[in-house]
Amino acid sequence: MRSQIYNIDASLRAKISLVALIYTITAAVSEKEGLNKDDQKLLEDIKKDISTVRGTYEPILDDPEYVQLSDERRKAIEESLDITRLQLMTLIHKHELITESMIKEIQGSRWL
């Protein structure tokens, strides 16, 4: 999972989709497990952040021909994804919510 997230050649779209997948699994499992109010709020904030990043993304950001034009925007999105991943991973580890095998089962081993 980490190798896909931090793969330099991965498109922003793929990185955003992977973070969204991890969020979806986390949200589904956490509903069953039951989180305290603070962690529920964090999960809601993460969902909003993912939505914002998706709304900011444009395919041109992954086009190597426009790297000079899109470098700052790409950097801003990657920084947002870094924060979102940290929040998700902290929540996942704190409550032992998901495992690598869950992600493999849902999305297939090509992600890992």
Side-chain angles (χ1 to χ4, degrees):
M1 181 170 70
R2 288 185 184 118
S3 66
Q4 176 63 29
I5 290 171
Y6 293 108
N7 183 347
I8 291 173
D9 295 330
S11 69
L12 277 179
R13 185 178 190 152
K15 291 177 182 183
I16 294 166
S17 294
L18 182 58
V19 170
L21 170 68
I22 295 167
Y23 165 79
T24 302
I25 297 167
T26 303
V29 173
S30 67
E31 189 173 307
K32 179 183 169 189
E33 298 295 321
L35 299 178
N36 63 44
K37 290 184 188 230
D38 289 339
D39 289 339
Q40 287 175 349
K41 171 84 169 82
L42 177 58
L43 204 54
E44 290 171 18
D45 291 343
I46 291 169
K47 181 179 180 181
K48 290 176 188 173
D49 292 343
I50 292 170
S51 179
T52 299
V53 168
R54 277 191 161 155
T56 305
Y57 171 79
E58 296 177 38
I60 196 170
L61 296 173
D62 285 322
D63 189 334
E65 289 184 31
Y66 297 97
V67 71
Q68 291 177 337
L69 298 174
S70 64
D71 194 42
E72 285 301 312
R73 290 190 61 205
R74 184 177 176 92
K75 181 180 174 184
I77 289 175
E78 288 181 341
E79 287 173 353
S80 295
L81 288 174
D82 288 342
I83 293 166
T84 302
R85 281 190 294 261
L86 176 61
Q87 291 171 325
L88 271 172
M89 298 310 279
T90 300
L91 198 58
I92 289 165
H93 288 296
K94 179 179 178 182
H95 297 282
E96 299 178 1
L97 295 174
I98 63 174
T99 63
E100 182 177 319
S101 63
M102 288 177 174
I103 296 172
K104 281 184 179 179
E105 183 179 321
I106 291 170
Q107 191 62 27
S109 61
R110 68 185 178 95
W111 285 96
L112 305 172

